[in-house]
């Protein structure tokens, strides 16, 4: 529900701001969208003891932006009690900028630490294959196998040792 509401705001934002302005907006919204996820901030925004001007002042101090468009956006969100959609707006604008610049981030999950040369090799091959700029980082997790996720492109590749053995057993049993 909040995602669909955020899409309407983002549509209006994309029509009125260029790419450079969107990047500045993203920088300004970063701290605010993190604050929106905290309980204290949410309580303050929904508090009946704080009036609109006090809430607005608190938000403007967090953002510290002189941009009138930014201030108007925040005022409209606050006035319509939609301040909680800021994380969704942030994510959608971030996706739009990544799409426009063709620059994406991906994560490689593996049980063991991969050599940096291997990660760079995978990054370069995938970047060439998709025709984009790609940055891969590695995270460790406990499952036997390896997984690669690139959110903006909708790419997920995984190989699991456990699943491989299950498929192999199934294939052998079917052959018998």
């Amino acid at each position: 529900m909040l995602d669909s509401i955020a899409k309407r705001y983002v549509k209006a934002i994309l029509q009125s701001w260029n790419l450079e302005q969107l990047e500045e907006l993203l920088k300004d919204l970063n701290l605010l969208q993190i604050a929106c996820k905290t309980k204290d901030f949410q309580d303050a925004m929904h508090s009946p003891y704080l009036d609109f001007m006090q809430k607005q002042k608190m938000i403007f101090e967090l953002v510290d932006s002189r941009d009138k468009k930014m201030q108007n956006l925040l005022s409209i969100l606050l006035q319509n009690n939609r301040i909680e959609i800021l994380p969704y707006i942030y994510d959608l604008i971030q996706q739009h900028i990544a799409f426009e610049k063709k620059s994406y981030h991906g994560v490689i999950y593996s049980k063991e630490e991969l050599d940096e040369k291997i990660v760079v090799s995978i990054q370069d091959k995938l970047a060439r294959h998709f025709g984009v700029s790609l940055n891969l980082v590695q995270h460790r997790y406990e499952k036997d196998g390896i997984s690669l996720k690139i959110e903006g492109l909708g790419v997920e590749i995984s190989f699991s040792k456990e699943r491989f053995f299950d498929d192999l057993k199934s294939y052998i049993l079917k052959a018998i």
Side-chain angles (χ1 to χ4, degrees):
M1 172 80 176
L2 293 178
D3 190 35
S4 62
I5 296 169
K7 285 180 183 178
R8 290 181 186 170
Y9 282 96
V10 169
K11 183 178 178 183
I13 290 168
L14 295 179
Q15 289 175 350
S16 62
W17 285 342
N18 64 30
L19 193 60
E20 288 178 12
Q21 291 171 326
L22 286 175
E23 289 175 347
E24 286 300 316
L25 173 66
L26 206 61
K27 288 177 188 175
D28 291 340
L29 286 181
N30 187 31
L31 181 62
L32 197 54
Q33 65 99 14
I34 292 170
C36 281
K37 294 176 183 177
T38 64
K39 178 94 171 103
D40 292 336
F41 184 83
Q42 290 175 1
D43 289 344
M45 290 298 112
H46 296 294
S47 172
Y49 301 112
L50 295 175
D51 66 356
F52 175 79
M53 294 305 290
Q54 290 172 318
K55 293 176 185 178
Q56 187 179 40
K57 183 180 176 189
M58 183 171 42
I59 289 175
F60 287 170
E61 287 175 359
L62 268 175
V63 174
D64 193 34
S65 175
R66 303 281 182 244
D67 185 16
K68 279 292 185 194
K69 283 184 181 180
M70 173 70 166
Q71 291 177 354
N72 289 341
L73 171 67
L74 294 175
S75 294
I76 289 171
L77 289 173
L78 188 60
Q79 193 172 26
N80 294 329
N81 293 322
R82 301 277 192 219
I83 205 74
E84 66 272 0
I85 68 169
L86 275 174
Y88 297 100
I89 290 174
Y90 180 84
D91 290 340
L92 290 169
I93 291 173
Q94 193 174 33
Q95 289 172 8
H96 176 77
I97 290 173
F99 177 76
E100 288 293 320
K101 288 185 163 187
K102 294 187 177 185
S103 176
Y104 297 94
H105 299 282
V107 181
I108 297 176
Y109 298 98
S110 65
K111 186 172 185 175
E112 299 171 359
E113 190 75 26
L114 295 176
D115 186 38
E116 186 65 31
K117 291 178 185 177
I118 294 172
V119 174
V120 170
S121 172
I122 294 169
Q123 176 178 303
D124 292 342
K125 287 178 184 176
L126 286 173
R128 270 196 310 270
H129 179 73
F130 290 114
V132 297
S133 172
L134 184 62
N135 181 28
L136 291 179
V137 293
Q138 183 178 357
H139 292 293
R140 295 181 68 182
Y141 76 146
E142 296 305 315
K143 294 183 181 177
D144 268 343
I146 189 166
S147 177
L148 168 72
K149 292 182 183 179
I150 306 171
E151 285 290 326
L153 291 175
V155 174
E156 184 175 338
I157 305 167
S158 65
F159 178 80
S160 171
K161 189 176 180 181
E162 183 178 306
R163 182 165 179 197
F164 174 75
F165 285 129
D166 289 344
D167 289 346
L168 185 61
K169 287 176 191 175
S170 173
Y171 181 75
I172 291 171
L173 290 174
K174 285 179 184 177
I176 295 176

